[in-house]
Amino acid sequence: MKKISEVLGTKYPVIQGGMANIATGEFAAACSEAGALGMIATGGLDPEGLRREIQIAKERTKQPFGVNIMLMHPAADEFAKIVVEMGVKFVTTGAGNPAKYMKMWKDAGIKVMPVVAAPILARKLASIGADAIIAEGSESGGHIGEMSTMTLVPQVVDTVDVPVIAAGGIADKRQVKAAFALGASGVQIGTCLLVSEECPIHENYKQALLKAKGTDAVVTGRIGGTPVRVLKNQMTRNYIQAEKKGATLEELEKFTLGSLRKAVFDGDTKTGSLMSGQTCGQLTSIRPVKEILSDLFEC
Ligand SMILES: Cc1cc2nc3c(=O)[nH]c(=O)nc-3n(C[C@H](O)[C@H](O)[C@H](O)COP(=O)(O)O)c2cc1C
C-alpha cells in the first residue's frame, strides 16, 4: 500500500477540508504554505470563479494544493474539466460518487481522494482508482452522514487497500493520535481552521465559534435526509421547529437559502448558517494556521 507521504507530499499528513464560500485560493495557499494540503472549495463558485481562485493559489504558493469538487453543484462537470486544464494535482470530492470523472482525472495524473461517510462507497471508489479515502464522521461541520469518526474510520480501513484520512472531530493532538490508532494515516480538518487568522470568515462567525460549547453544534435536516451540522441560533431553531411540524423541503429551503453566505460575509449570527463541527467546544483563540498545525503534531 502507498504511504500517505507519497500521496500528499506535504510537511504534515493533513488536508485542509474544502469549505464552501470560505476556502478561497488565498486561504488554500496559506494552508499549503503552513504545511497542510490546502484545498479550494467549489461551493459558492462558478466556473470563472474557480479558474480565478486556482490562479490565485498558484501565484501564492509553490507547495501542493488542490480543489474540492462538490458533486451536487450544477457546474460539477465543468469544474471536473477545469482542474485538468489548469494542471491541478489533487482533487477531493464531496456529496456523491465521482466515478464518472475518475478516468479523466487519473489520465491527467491527478490524485483523487473522495470524501465518504460509509464503508461501502469507500470500497467502490478504491476499486476504481481513488488514491486515498477521506472517511468523514458525523462530528464534522457541514453536511454529515450517519456514522461517527470512531466507528467509520476502522470500518473503512478494513475495507480498502489505500491510505485512509480521518475527518470529523479532530482539533488537537489527542484526536490526531486517536485517528492514527483507528488506522488512519492522515487527517482532514475544517472547524479548527475557521478560527485561524488567515480564514476569511466574518469576525462575528469566529467569535461565535470561540463562545460555542460542543453541544451547540446541532443538526438541521435530519428528517428531510440532508443533515447539516451548524451552530445553534435563530435559524436552526426555526428550521428544526418547522421540520418537526412536517414542513416541505421547499419551505425549509427558505431558512437555508444563502444562509452560509450571510454568516461568512455579513457576520449574521442570527439567521446565518454558522456551519461548525463539535470541536467548536475546544476552540479558545484565533491563531495562525501554522501554529494550529504544529500543535496537532507536537509530541
Ligand atoms: C464551514 C464548513 C464548510 C464545509 N464545506 C464543505 C464543502 O464545501 N465540501 C466538502 O467536501 N466538505 C465541506 N466541509 C467539511 C470539511 O471539508 C471537513 O471534512 C470537516 O470540516 C472536518 O471535520 P471538522 O469540522 O470536525 O474538522 C465543510 C465544513 C465546514 C466546517
Side-chain angles (χ1 to χ4, degrees), residues 6-30:
E6 293 170 52
V7 180
L8 299 183
T10 46
K11 178 174 176 189
Y12 300 113
V14 183
I15 302 177
Q16 162 249 306
M19 294 188 276
N21 290 301
I22 297 170
T24 57
E26 189 169 349
F27 182 62

Side-chain angles (χ1 to χ4, degrees), residues 40 60 63 77 80 82 143 146 170 182 185 206 216 261 281-282 285 298:
I40 298 167
R60 303 278 161 101
Q63 299 301 318
D77 285 349
I82 290 170
H143 292 265
E146 270 304 321
I170 298 162
L182 296 175
S185 40
K206 290 189 188 178
D216 291 333
R261 295 180 67 86
Q282 295 169 236
S285 61
E298 177 196 289

Side-chain angles (χ1 to χ4, degrees), residues 19 137-142 144 149 166-176 188-195 206 208-218 229-231 274-285 287 292 296:
M19 294 188 276
S138 56
E139 296 92 327
S140 121
I144 58 167
T149 304
I170 298 162
D172 75 21
K173 62 186 170 194
R174 294 167 299 180
Q175 290 152 327
V176 171
Q188 170 163 291
I189 52 176
T191 298
C192 65
L193 290 174
L194 290 173
V195 291
K206 290 189 188 178
L209 287 160
L210 293 178
K211 276 193 217 124
K213 298 181 283 299
T215 46
D216 291 333
V218 298
R229 193 176 291 286
V230 288
L231 289 187
L274 284 77
M275 289 186 182
S276 165
Q278 294 174 322
T279 60
C280 57
Q282 295 169 236
L283 308 175
T284 54
S285 61
R287 300 184 294 160
I292 296 172
L296 288 178

Side-chain angles (χ1 to χ4, degrees), residues 15-20 68 70 92-96 113-119 121-122 132-157 164-170 184 186-191 227-229 275-277:
I15 302 177
Q16 162 249 306
M19 294 188 276
N68 168 252
M70 281 301 273
T92 63
T93 58
M113 299 180 285
V115 179
V116 306
L121 183 59
I133 297 289
I134 302 170
E136 188 190 67
S138 56
E139 296 92 327
S140 121
H143 292 265
I144 58 167
E146 270 304 321
M147 294 178 76
S148 67
T149 304
M150 186 73 126
T151 52
L152 178 67
V153 172
Q155 292 183 41
V156 172
V157 168
V164 174
I165 293 159
I170 298 162
V187 296
Q188 170 163 291
I189 52 176
T191 298
V228 177
R229 193 176 291 286
M275 289 186 182
S276 165

